[in-house]
Structures are given as structure tokens and as C-alpha cells.
Amino acid sequence: MQSLFSTEGLHPSTGFKLWRELLGERLVPIEVERLDADGPFRGKLDIAEVGPLHISRLTQSALRCETTPTAARRHDRAGMIVVLFKVAGMSTSVQDGREAVQRPGDMVVLDHRPSVLTTHEDSQALFLELPRERLERVLGSTRLYTGLSLSADLASTQLTTCFIHELIRVRRQLTPDAAERMAAIGVDLIVASLAERMAQNVPRPIHGSVVVQRAKAFVEANLQDTALDPPHLAAAVGVSLRRLQELFHERGQHISDWIWERRLAVAATRLADPACVHLPIGTLAYGCGFISQSHFARRFKHHHGMSPREYRYAAILNGREYRAAVASHRVP
């Protein structure tokens, strides 16, 4: 990772002041209090980018960081959330009535709302900022899982943590297209880990909602699997097919329809993405779980009213027209 700032060599009082300002700029305006005012202060910030993912690694002495209601209202990141991956030391987070301890290997999601994060001596963590909509589309409101610690004992947490660390390590070897795809996989793993954690010890009245959220998270992470169907999905989330069908029906949905809608939505996004323009339509179709290009073309045209090729051409043309309008100052 690229080193952006370090207090090494700075006077303790100056180093802490600069570190406090840096946290306010990189995260949100926060109140920062030292917990070991008599000892030397250490702070180091490293950063990395993998496709759209902006990753920060913070190494710091013991601090109490509070996002106040006033600060939460002032900042401009209301559409984003933060995922913390604990690397070393211990920290405690408090948000939305939940207090949790994070140890090495654990994860926790924090929203840009009032919260308190306390780090202890020699603490280190990775921070990823993600669009709120990406999680809420599958898992529901962030208030359901902010401040909920995802233990390193969970297999899904282990897998997600290892993937993110490896992604950082090999990021310079990835092409821009590959980096974007791998970043998307990392986000899918985070969603799947949260869904598994939410299913633990939930009150019975909301158990059905959690099962559906886990099912949708599994679909998002496995769209490319042509074998993904309702029986496969029910087995993956640990309920009977009949029970899963009932839960989807209660929400006015059918399992098969949901799977195909998500495949078609992802395919449409990739067709319109300039980074995927070099991909043959057949390759793109297989990557979204369709068994053949003709099968994909039929379903896509029925859903969107035009063939995949026509859809891609229209998206490219619209993009060029928009860029031309911007260049000629017709678009503010």
C-alpha cells in the first residue's frame, strides 16, 4: 500500500494534532480523544485503490473517535458506509444501540451516523467505503447490521478477509477491467458475510426476512453459476424449498423470477459498461449464468424490448452523445 502520512519523527503534540485533522478529512468530522496522553503517539495511514474500491489502512495508538450528530449532519457521505477489517490490536464500536468488540480477523460495518469507535494500543485496521445502496438492496436498512461484529470464527468472514488482503497484494498485477471485477466480487463476499451473521440469533418474527436476505445475497454472489435454481438456493441457505417459496411469495416475489431478473439486470449493466465493451456477448452471457447466447438473447429481448447487441449499441451511442454535450458545454 502507498504510505500517505506518518507521525514518525514528529513531536508528539504536533503529530496528534495533524493525525486528528487527517481523520476528519479522510473519514468524517469527528471528535478525537487520546487515551494514553502520557505516552508517545503513533499514527500511520496507507492507502490503496482496486477498481472503484478506496481502501485505507490506519495504524494508531489508543484513541476514542466519536461521530457526533452535528458532524454526521455536516458531512457529504450520507450515501456511503464503512466496512472495518481488524488487522491487529483490539477496538470497540458503538452504533445503533449495539456495542461490539473487534479483534484481529473480525469485521464490522459502520454508517456515517452518530457512533463511537475506540481503538486500543497498537491498533491496525483496513477501512473500505462502499455505496450504501449496494448493501441495502440485498440486506435492507443498514440499521439492521451496523455495529454488528462479524467474528473471524465465521468461515464467510475468513474468506472475505483473505480475499480483500490478497486483492490489495496483487492489485498492481490486475488490468483495470480485472480490478473492477475483482472489487465487485469482494463486495459480494462482504454482503454474503453480513447475511450469514444476521441469520445468527435473530428473533423469530424477523427470521423469515433474514432468510430472504441471505438468499438474495447468495444469488448476487453466484449469478454466474448456471446450476443456480430454487432447490439449489434453498439448500444453500439451509431451509426447505417449500419454506423458501413461501417466504418469497409473502413478499410478492417468485424465486426463479428473482434470479432471472438479477441476471438480466447485471447483464444490462455490463452491456452498458465501457469497460466491458470488448467482451463478446456470449462470454458476457455465460458470466451472468445463461446456458447459451441464444437463451440469453431471447430472455433479454423479452425483458428489454431489444436485443443485447442493440442495447449495447444504444448505450455506447448515448454515452458518446453525453460526452460530446459535456465537451461542448451543453451539459452543466
Side-chain angles (χ1 to χ4, degrees):
M1 300 182 75
Q2 176 187 353
S3 179
L4 189 67
F5 179 82
S6 175
T7 59
E8 185 176 357
L10 298 177
H11 187 276
S13 60
T14 302
F16 173 66
K17 180 177 181 295
L18 293 175
W19 184 253
R20 181 174 55 194
E21 294 173 354
L22 181 68
L23 292 182
E25 293 172 0
R26 297 289 300 187
L27 302 176
V28 295
I30 54 177
E31 295 183 358
V32 182
E33 176 187 355
R34 289 191 61 181
L35 300 181
D36 57 350
D38 295 332
F41 178 78
R42 292 181 295 276
K44 188 172 187 293
L45 172 64
D46 305 295
I47 60 172
E49 292 188 1
V50 185
L53 290 183
H54 300 279
I55 306 170
S56 302
R57 182 174 65 200
L58 273 67
T59 307
Q60 60 187 10
S61 299
L63 292 178
R64 182 184 185 276
C65 304
E66 180 176 2
T67 302
T68 64
T70 301
R73 286 193 298 269
R74 281 206 316 266
H75 76 79
D76 59 354
R77 295 185 176 93
M80 308 295 286
I81 56 92
V82 172
V83 183
L84 181 155
F85 293 82
K86 197 65 184 174
V87 178
M90 187 175 73
S91 61
T92 304
S93 61
V94 180
Q95 188 169 55
D96 293 329
R98 300 185 189 92
E99 181 173 358
V101 175
Q102 294 84 45
R103 296 180 175 83
D106 293 351
M107 294 166 47
V108 69
V109 172
L110 298 174
D111 207 335
H112 289 302
R113 294 196 302 273
S115 63
V116 176
L117 180 64
T118 304
T119 60
H120 303 277
E121 188 70 20
D122 299 322
S123 174
Q124 185 178 94
L126 296 177
F127 290 81
L128 277 69
E129 198 170 43
L130 303 176
R132 170 196 304 276
E133 183 272 338
R134 178 63 186 83
L135 270 66
E136 290 193 331
R137 187 176 67 219
V138 178
L139 301 173
S141 170
T142 59
R143 294 182 185 275
L144 296 172
Y145 41 87
T146 44
L148 187 65
S149 190
L150 281 68
S151 170
D153 294 336
L154 285 176
S156 58
T157 303
Q158 295 175 30
L159 179 61
T160 303
T161 301
C162 289
F163 184 88
I164 294 298
H165 282 290
E166 282 299 296
L167 190 57
I168 294 171
R169 187 180 67 82
V170 305
R171 69 190 186 283
R172 299 189 189 280
Q173 303 171 36
L174 300 174
T175 65
D177 289 351
E180 187 157 348
R181 289 194 296 272
M182 294 301 105
I185 291 172
V187 176
D188 287 341
L189 288 172
I190 291 170
V191 172
S193 297
L194 279 166
E196 180 179 359
R197 176 62 182 87
M198 290 170 67
Q200 295 183 334
N201 304 322
V202 295
R204 186 62 190 174
I206 66 169
H207 183 265
S209 296
V210 173
V211 170
V212 172
Q213 290 162 2
R214 289 181 61 204
K216 290 182 176 181
F218 187 87
V219 169
E220 293 291 328
N222 294 273
L223 282 175
Q224 77 285 352
D225 185 357
T226 57
L228 180 61
D229 58 12
H232 184 176
L233 183 58
V237 297
V239 298
S240 70
L241 175 58
R242 180 177 179 179
R243 176 57 178 158
L244 189 61
Q245 288 172 331
E246 290 173 350
L247 291 172
F248 269 77
H249 288 167
E250 288 172 3
R251 290 154 180 81
Q253 299 168 337
H254 296 275
I255 303 173
S256 294
D257 290 346
W258 174 264
I259 294 173
W260 288 117
E261 285 173 8
R262 292 307 306 148
R263 282 176 168 156
L264 288 167
V266 171
T269 298
R270 293 178 183 175
L271 284 169
D273 186 351
C276 297
V277 72
H278 66 285
L279 287 178
I281 289 178
T283 301
L284 189 149
Y286 297 136
C288 293
F290 293 91
I291 58 176
S292 69
Q293 185 170 342
S294 60
H295 175 228
F296 170 55
R298 286 195 305 272
R299 279 191 172 269
F300 193 91
K301 187 167 185 176
H302 177 75
H303 189 78
H304 290 282
M306 63 179 74
S307 71
R309 194 175 306 279
E310 291 168 339
Y311 189 94
R312 170 179 272 177
Y313 179 77
I316 293 172
L317 184 62
N318 289 338
R320 287 174 179 169
E321 290 176 349
Y322 178 80
R323 289 192 293 274
V326 171
S328 62
H329 306 291
R330 295 201 304 269
V331 175

